[in-house]
Amino acid sequence: MPNAVVAAYGLSIGGPDGARETLEEFWRHISSAGQLYSPVRSLLWETWPQGSGPDLDFSPTFFLFQAMTHVFSPYQINPFNLNPLKSVLSEVIDFDRLARCNRAPRLFLSATNVRTGKIKVFENDAMSVDVVLASACLPHLFHAVEIDGEHYWDGGFMGNPAIFPLIYNRGSKDVILVHINPIERKKLPKTAAQIFNRVDEIRFNSSLMREMRAVAFVTKLIDDNVLDRGKYTACLFIQSETTRRWPSSELRPSSIQIGTSCVASAIAAAQRRAGGWTPISTRSGNRRRSIWPRSFFSY
């Protein structure tokens, strides 16, 4: 979620060039903060064979920190609620300006209400440092974020991402999903790190799968003329991920068309100033058009 807010702010103050510069500034600050505050450190024998970062499957410091988070809560490990991301966001983004700017892309940041278990969607006029922190608050690492008397955790538990604001609030006919957590894995996870990672993938995909099933069901009702086409509009979903397509056994009625495209990583864009969205085209009804031309996202 921070990437979306940073990109939106950059676009609002300087167009595509402003977005590139703001993303680069943000990730350089994140890199510096990570080197200073990260509890997971590379030991010498972990890095010298491959000349890069450690393999977390065999990182002693990673396993030690992971074990600590399963025994001690962030309220015990971090009683002063220190969060380097808060200072980075405050330094890079003028949230008051973002909330007032009409040129900024519409933002829908989701967070999970700890008390009720319901999703809360924040839009541009409510954007703040705390909203961004709440949308990315993993409960075993950070204190719950308090906003207007309610406490919130990561929005991925209830919407990863939340699709309904795009359909109901703005009536979007095309939705692009940038999917970073694979639904399927060919190999059985066997190491502790692989198992924990796979559990997180399944958990964070579950809310998206439920919402997509609901969209598929409503779309089928529209195609079968059970629902009035004058009141309801079918959406075309384009999935972008680096791994694979949606499984053919899941959510694939003929009324939902799903394709793939290449997506430039925001981190890679900040580091290499290269890549971007590859133009793709698709059909929706009797119309054919290009989705997100490369010139708009010319990183």
Side-chain angles (χ1 to χ4, degrees):
M1 287 303 178
N3 276 327
V5 179
V6 173
Y9 177 68
L11 285 168
S12 70
I13 62 175
D17 288 338
R20 287 193 296 270
E21 294 171 3
T22 308
L23 280 168
E24 181 174 357
E25 180 186 4
F26 173 72
W27 278 105
R28 288 190 183 278
H29 280 76
I30 288 292
S31 178
S32 299
Q35 293 176 8
L36 182 62
Y37 295 108
S38 175
V40 179
R41 300 290 178 174
S42 302
L43 302 178
L44 180 61
W45 60 83
E46 295 179 75
T47 57
W48 73 264
Q50 65 266 33
S52 59
D55 184 348
L56 294 184
D57 282 351
F58 306 99
S59 172
T61 56
F62 172 76
F63 278 111
L64 177 61
F65 178 70
Q66 188 176 56
M68 287 181 59
T69 61
H70 284 74
V71 176
F72 302 102
S73 81
Y75 299 89
Q76 297 168 307
I77 297 176
N78 183 14
F80 298 105
N81 194 20
L82 301 177
N83 189 338
L85 179 58
K86 184 173 185 176
S87 59
V88 171
L89 288 169
S90 299
E91 186 170 350
V92 173
I93 300 174
D94 183 343
F95 282 94
D96 291 335
R97 180 173 179 176
L98 176 62
R100 298 192 307 266
C101 183
N102 295 326
R103 297 190 302 274
R106 301 308 304 166
L107 295 169
F108 301 97
L109 266 63
S110 61
T112 303
N113 188 304
V114 180
R115 181 179 61 84
T116 65
K118 296 180 179 180
I119 189 172
K120 171 71 173 180
V121 177
F122 298 91
E123 298 190 38
N124 293 51
D125 57 355
M127 210 53 55
S128 67
V129 173
D130 286 338
V131 166
V132 180
L133 293 178
S135 72
C137 177
L138 296 175
H140 59 286
L141 296 179
F142 303 107
H143 294 209
V145 180
E146 183 177 359
I147 302 174
D148 296 332
E150 295 285 356
H151 291 83
Y152 295 94
W153 284 339
D154 193 299
F157 293 113
M158 297 303 295
N160 191 38
I163 303 298
F164 70 89
L166 304 176
I167 300 174
Y168 295 143
N169 289 13
R170 304 299 173 192
S172 300
K173 295 182 179 181
D174 299 320
V175 177
I176 296 179
L177 296 178
V178 181
H179 198 212
I180 60 174
N181 294 324
I183 294 177
E184 288 188 356
R185 289 283 188 183
K186 292 182 178 181
K187 295 182 179 180
L188 178 69
K190 294 183 178 180
T191 68
Q194 290 172 350
I195 292 171
F196 277 116
N197 183 62
R198 186 58 183 150
V199 168
D200 283 340
E201 288 174 349
I202 294 173
R203 177 171 54 185
F204 281 104
N205 276 325
S206 62
S207 58
L208 174 62
M209 298 291 284
R210 287 194 300 268
E211 196 163 8
M212 289 295 290
R213 287 191 180 98
V215 172
F217 176 70
V218 173
T219 303
K220 187 176 186 304
L221 294 179
I222 295 173
D223 288 345
D224 293 343
N225 295 317
V226 176
L227 295 179
D228 185 358
R229 289 181 177 271
K231 296 181 179 179
Y232 299 91
T233 303
C235 286
L236 173 65
F237 283 85
I238 303 297
Q239 182 203 9
S240 300
E241 63 173 74
T242 58
T243 52
R244 57 175 297 147
R245 295 174 183 268
W246 290 78
S248 58
S249 60
E250 295 285 348
L251 315 177
R252 288 296 299 272
S254 58
S255 57
I256 291 189
Q257 307 172 51
I258 302 177
T260 59
S261 67
C262 295
V263 182
S265 163
I267 302 177
Q271 293 176 339
R272 299 194 301 266
R273 293 176 175 268
W277 290 84
T278 297
I280 58 175
S281 60
T282 185
R283 292 186 182 276
S284 176
N286 296 321
R287 54 202 175 99
R288 183 177 181 87
R289 63 187 176 279
S290 177
I291 304 296
W292 299 108
R294 187 181 180 87
S295 59
F296 186 78
F297 288 93
S298 54
Y299 292 119

